[in-house]
Amino acid sequence: MVDLSLSTETTLPLLPLSSGVVLPGMSVTIGLETPEARAAADAAESAGGQLLLVPKVAARYAAVGTVSQLEGRRRLRGGLEALVVTGLARARIGTGVPGTGSALWVSAEPIADPEAASERVEELAREYRAVVENIVDQRGAGELAAMLRAITDPGALADTAGWSPDLSFEQKVELLETIDVETRLERALSWMRDVLADLSLRERIRKDVAEGMERSQREFLLRQQLDAIRRELGEDPGEGDTLDDYRSRARQAGLTGDGAPEEVAKAIEREINKLERTSEQSPEHGWIRTYLDTVLELPWNVRTEEHLDIDAARATLDSDHNGLEDVKDRIVEFLAVRKLRAERGLDSVPREGGRGQGAILALVGPPGVGKTSLGESVARALGRKFARVALGGTHDEAEIRGHRRTYVGAQPGRIVRALREAGSMNPVFVLDEVDKVGADWRGDPASALLEVLDPAQNHHFRDRYLEIELDLSDVLFIATANVIETIPAPLLDRLEVIRVDGYTDEEKVAIARDHLLPRQLSFQGLQDGEVTVSDDALRRVISDYTREAGVRGLERALGKLLRKVAVTVSSDATAAGAVSVGVADVPSYLGRQKFFFEPAERTAVPGVATGLAVTGVGGDVLFVEATSMEGESGLQVTGQLGDVMKESAEIALSYVRSHATELGIGPDAFKKRFHLHVPAGAVPKDGPSAGVTMVSALVSLLTGRPVRSEVGMTGEVTLQGRVLPIGGVKQKVLAAHRAGLREVVLPARNIGDLDDVPEAVREEMTFHSAEEVADVLAAALAQPVAV
């Protein structure tokens, strides 16, 4: 509180403070280090012993100072003279005034704290007291808490923050300049909360460190005791033998001494030496051991002997796969080239920086046609190890190149892991689903695959985890994909594409009889002879319950059928003889028919044409429907069509309108609104091969001539009526054959592609060559419907 002898405004000598702040109620010792300070002390003694202490911040005086009472002068150790002062009250600093001596005299207006406190101030005071008591308790100064509780004035309580060593000089000046008691308490409380939080965090860290050190020391002592016990028992004593074990494994793997891969030997020795210097309690100890285990598990010097017997390879492919003659012929050609190169020593000749193993085969086709199993057959035919690397959905480049060892949980990439699983440096790798490799912020796995597949680079592939060069030039890579369009272009450039388009119904019957049925019998716990399924029953399953290019759905259907049989066999153990499944029995096992061949029903009315398309699951049959209605002329297309098919619809309508006279269509027919629809609207559709189908549907509608039910068609059309060639002929013809169509209209330039279609299918079907739309209409349209 202010000394009662002070008037409302008084004149006092000013003593600047450059490194500390004196608040009311504080008693401190101030060293008189400057002539200015000594002059202020002399003036205070001559003027009643009072002076004004003002902090000096950044070359300016604070706006508020502290009126202080001079308690005495003394000399400190070292001879420096000092003042002992007690802060009395805050005071606003006025202007300079004349005074005695050389001191700076100023006018000062003392400021007293209010005697009555509000409820908010009392609440802040209680909270501030509690926080500060926690601080002093944590610092082991409990006696200060009793002194704190003796202070009842809220303003004086807030000023006790000036004693805190945790506050900066600027914060203490701010506290001095804060006149309002409530604001002063809020600031002091906020700062003390920060101090308490910092102390609590430091204490928690200290305890955690102490506990960790105690645990580590305890584990160290226990391990020492365990090693001593093991030595007494004649067992492995610990780390020393672990190092010897790693060196022994390296010697056994041929990774030390002469003839060993130099880079591998250096890496192993470097990591063993690092392990020897690393404490078992260090996390790095486990990381080093994991790395050494990974390196030593790789088959650095292991290569399986390759059997390049072309006749045996063909026999293996024929026994494993029915049909797919073109695919098997290409694989045999591939193996024959490898045999000639090996016999003539060409594989040892460097080419473009690497050995050059030739083309990388890519099997492209719908699901279930046996792409992966073809890779297994190739490995078996060559006598090599087999490994499969699933790439579908891969978005992280580290999945191919591996993670750097600086990351927690780092591991090698899939290529290295597959080599470890194969146990050989020359296995057959099937890279599954290369068309489903993605890219995001984690990198581009397709770009990483370029280094793996390129013969000019893969003889020195470097995995980021191993940081050792791997020679992948002896690995035989076979890629698989469902569609070629989504394979990244740089990756596709390294691949030789082999189309695996699907099977005919007779091939499916043979596959089901020779491969799928025996496998499913084993899966369902049935034995040979307990169940017989006739070929006619298999044909009904194929035609009425599956519609696919491959045989995956067929195998599921057979599995369901055999499970039903297994229930009968297991519940009636006394049943004699085998269970025979005929054509009539199929619905009782598989339920009602799922697929219907309905071209005749769908095309019975004018305006519906049967088209052929290629989807991600193989060839398929789709219907294009056309109708007209009164209203504003124009064209509407539905069926979730892509931009290409929408353009085909517009081209088709434009062609029909421009050739209406020669098509026998009156001019009034185009005053209506046309609607083209492709059913199965939930399935997205797009592609440049529906033009002739849309033209046929429109001409059929406008002429009243229905499209023949046994005819399917494919091809793109121009505004001049030219029929352009398309792709996927084999898949489309097989789809037409499965759907019961017996005639197919193809662009003239695609007739040569029929060589890829199995001969049995070609013999059952008739193919029409079309160069102009007129050729399509002549083959597709029937006579007008009688009215």
Side-chain angles (χ1 to χ4, degrees):
M1 300 294 293
V2 181
D3 192 333
L4 294 179
S5 63
L6 286 173
S7 61
T8 304
E9 182 173 344
T10 185
T11 299
L12 295 173
L14 185 146
L15 176 58
L17 302 177
S18 60
S19 59
V21 178
V22 177
L23 292 165
M26 295 175 60
S27 294
V28 298
T29 301
I30 302 174
L32 302 178
E33 299 178 350
T34 63
E36 184 181 21
R38 287 192 288 273
D42 294 339
E45 288 182 337
S46 64
Q50 291 184 346
L51 71 167
L52 186 64
L53 302 179
V54 181
K56 193 174 183 181
V57 184
R60 73 168 183 88
Y61 288 107
V64 176
T66 304
V67 178
S68 303
Q69 180 65 45
L70 181 60
E71 303 292 349
R73 295 177 73 161
R74 62 177 181 174
R75 288 196 176 274
L76 302 176
R77 183 177 301 176
L80 179 64
E81 189 176 9
L83 291 181
V84 179
V85 298
T86 300
L88 301 178
R90 287 176 172 79
R92 291 191 180 88
I93 304 172
T95 59
V97 297
T100 60
S102 58
L104 174 62
W105 291 76
V106 296
S107 60
E109 179 185 354
I111 306 168
D113 291 337
E115 295 183 359
S118 65
E119 292 184 2
R120 172 62 177 164
V121 170
E122 294 292 347
E123 181 183 351
L124 290 171
R126 286 193 298 271
E127 188 173 356
Y128 174 82
R129 185 180 286 108
V131 171
V132 175
E133 286 180 0
N134 277 331
I135 293 174
V136 297
D137 285 343
Q138 287 197 27
R139 287 180 167 166
E143 66 280 359
L144 296 178
M147 297 174 58
L148 194 67
R149 286 191 289 271
I151 301 175
T152 58
D153 181 64
L157 186 64
D159 287 341
T160 59
W163 290 106
S164 173
D166 301 292
L167 297 188
S168 65
F169 177 62
E170 289 76 12
Q171 287 175 317
K172 292 179 180 179
V173 172
E174 184 179 351
L175 186 68
L176 175 64
E177 293 180 327
T178 304
I179 305 301
D180 182 67
V181 175
E182 180 177 340
T183 305
R184 195 189 314 162
L185 275 170
E186 288 175 346
R187 291 179 180 175
L189 177 59
S190 174
W191 294 332
M192 290 300 105
R193 282 175 179 164
D194 292 342
V195 172
L196 180 60
D198 183 61
L199 287 175
S200 300
L201 178 60
R202 291 182 183 181
E203 179 64 18
R204 185 164 62 252
I205 293 174
R206 186 192 64 78
K207 288 182 178 179
D208 290 344
V209 171
E211 291 175 0
M213 291 179 63
E214 291 174 1
R215 184 168 57 252
S216 298
Q217 292 172 355
R218 183 169 61 254
E219 290 178 357
F220 176 76
L221 292 175
L222 290 174
R223 290 182 186 279
Q224 294 297 320
Q225 294 173 2
L226 182 61
D227 289 346
I229 294 172
R230 284 177 173 172
R231 278 192 292 270
E232 291 295 327
L233 295 175
E235 297 179 356
D236 179 13
E239 184 65 29
D241 279 6
T242 300
L243 300 174
D244 293 340
D245 177 62
Y246 279 125
R247 291 190 172 97
S248 174
R249 288 171 59 186
R251 284 193 299 272
Q252 293 173 4
L255 300 178
T256 58
D258 297 336
E262 182 179 357
E263 188 179 8
V264 180
K266 287 182 178 179
I268 291 174
E269 188 61 30
R270 180 177 64 248
E271 294 300 322
I272 291 177
N273 293 336
K274 188 187 298 183
L275 181 65
E276 189 174 15
R277 298 190 301 269
T278 304
S279 168
E280 290 187 21
Q281 285 72 43
S282 171
E284 192 175 359
H285 184 274
W287 301 341
I288 297 173
R289 294 193 59 167
T290 302
Y291 177 83
L292 285 170
D293 290 336
T294 302
V295 173
L296 292 174
E297 286 171 0
L298 287 174
W300 297 99
N301 296 317
V302 179
R303 281 174 172 77
T304 54
E305 184 179 355
E306 192 172 56
H307 306 297
L308 292 173
D309 187 332
I310 303 304
D311 293 335
R314 181 71 196 210
T316 300
L317 292 173
D318 288 338
S319 65
D320 290 347
H321 298 273
N322 292 82
L324 304 178
E325 298 302 325
D326 293 341
V327 177
K328 291 188 286 190
D329 288 343
R330 180 62 187 88
I331 292 175
V332 170
E333 294 168 3
F334 180 80
L335 300 179
V337 171
R338 291 186 62 84
K339 178 180 180 180
L340 290 177
R341 290 182 62 84
E343 290 176 348
R344 298 173 182 181
L346 298 178
D347 277 341
S348 60
V349 179
R351 181 170 65 88
E352 297 181 3
R355 297 189 201 180
Q357 64 173 6
I360 307 297
L361 299 183
L363 305 178
V364 179
V369 295
K371 300 184 294 296
T372 303
S373 59
L374 275 169
E376 295 180 6
S377 299
V378 171
R380 189 160 46 253
L382 292 174
R384 291 190 179 200
K385 301 289 186 179
F386 174 79
R388 174 178 174 267
V389 180
L391 299 175
T394 302
H395 289 78
D396 190 353
E397 183 184 354
E399 288 293 320
I400 306 299
R401 296 188 187 276
H403 302 79
R404 298 191 186 279
R405 293 176 62 194
T406 52
Y407 298 108
V408 176
Q411 59 179 342
R414 294 191 184 187
I415 303 300
V416 172
R417 299 204 299 269
L419 276 176
R420 182 174 59 190
E421 293 167 6
S424 169
M425 292 300 288
N426 63 337
V428 173
F429 271 6
V430 169
L431 304 177
D432 248 343
E433 312 290 359
V434 295
D435 57 329
K436 298 178 178 62
V437 174
D440 58 17
W441 57 271
R442 292 171 291 185
D444 184 4
S447 299
L449 281 173
L450 298 180
E451 183 181 356
V452 174
L453 296 177
D454 193 342
Q457 302 180 54
N458 62 11
H459 65 289
H460 52 69
F461 173 74
R462 184 176 289 270
D463 185 273
R464 289 174 179 166
Y465 180 82
L466 295 181
E467 285 300 330
I468 302 174
E469 286 189 356
L470 281 168
D471 185 358
L472 302 179
S473 60
D474 285 340
V475 178
L476 177 56
F477 291 102
I478 299 177
T480 72
N482 294 136
V483 293
I484 199 172
E485 289 78 14
T486 56
I487 301 176
L491 185 58
L492 183 62
D493 184 57
R494 267 73 171 182
L495 306 176
E496 179 179 341
V497 175
I498 300 177
R499 296 279 186 177
V500 188
D501 293 320
Y503 302 99
T504 65
D505 286 354
E506 289 306 313
E507 288 172 343
K508 289 183 180 180
V509 170
I511 293 171
R513 181 182 58 245
D514 299 337
H515 301 283
L516 304 183
L517 201 55
R519 185 162 61 198
Q520 284 299 320
L521 282 170
S522 176
F523 286 168
Q524 312 310 333
L526 298 169
Q527 297 178 353
D528 292 340
E530 286 188 314
V531 183
T532 59
V533 182
S534 68
D535 286 356
D536 290 337
L538 291 175
R539 289 188 183 92
R540 182 166 187 180
V541 173
I542 292 167
S543 62
D544 294 354
Y545 295 89
T546 64
R547 185 173 293 177
E548 56 180 346
V551 294
R552 191 166 293 163
L554 174 59
E555 184 170 11
R556 284 195 292 265
L558 291 176
K560 180 180 179 180
L561 186 150
L562 293 178
R563 286 195 298 273
K564 300 288 187 182
V565 174
V567 172
T568 302
V569 173
S570 61
S571 60
D572 187 5
T574 61
V579 176
S580 179
V581 180
V583 176
D585 301 320
V586 172
S588 64
Y589 291 109
L590 299 182
R592 61 183 178 83
Q593 182 178 346
K594 293 183 179 179
F595 295 98
F596 301 87
F597 301 129
E598 53 186 7
E601 178 184 347
R602 297 291 292 274
T603 59
V605 297
V608 181
T610 307
L612 304 175
V614 176
T615 67
V617 293
D620 199 4
V621 172
L622 55 84
F623 296 96
V624 175
E625 300 176 347
T627 188
S628 61
M629 65 205 78
E630 297 296 334
E632 183 181 355
S633 62
L635 175 66
Q636 179 182 0
V637 291
T638 55
Q640 200 172 162
L641 307 183
D643 292 339
V644 175
M645 289 191 72
K646 290 178 181 178
E647 291 177 356
S648 296
E650 294 175 358
I651 293 171
L653 181 59
S654 297
Y655 172 80
V656 173
R657 293 187 66 174
S658 62
H659 295 77
T661 303
E662 54 195 89
L663 292 173
I665 302 172
D668 294 339
F670 298 100
K671 295 180 180 179
K672 297 182 179 181
R673 181 170 184 81
F674 291 92
H675 185 169
L676 276 176
H677 175 64
V678 182
V683 180
K685 312 170 190 71
D686 201 11
S689 62
V692 296
T693 312
M694 292 178 172
V695 170
S696 300
L698 287 170
V699 174
S700 172
L701 173 71
L702 294 173
T703 61
R705 301 172 61 187
V707 175
R708 296 168 57 209
S709 61
E710 65 271 19
V711 175
M713 62 195 74
T714 181
E716 192 52 272
V717 67
T718 68
L719 287 172
Q720 287 74 35
R722 298 282 299 175
V723 178
L724 301 180
I726 43 79
V729 171
K730 180 180 178 181
Q731 296 184 53
K732 292 175 180 178
V733 171
L734 291 177
H737 184 264
R738 288 195 300 270
L741 302 177
R742 289 299 173 259
E743 296 184 31
V744 174
V745 180
L746 294 173
R749 289 166 60 185
N750 284 123
I751 294 297
D753 296 332
L754 291 173
D755 293 342
D756 297 333
V757 179
E759 184 177 356
V761 174
R762 296 201 305 268
E763 291 176 352
E764 295 181 13
M765 303 187 73
T766 301
F767 299 96
H768 301 278
S769 173
E771 292 187 355
E772 303 285 343
V773 170
D775 300 329
V776 178
L777 299 177
L781 295 184
Q783 295 302 316
V785 178
V787 180

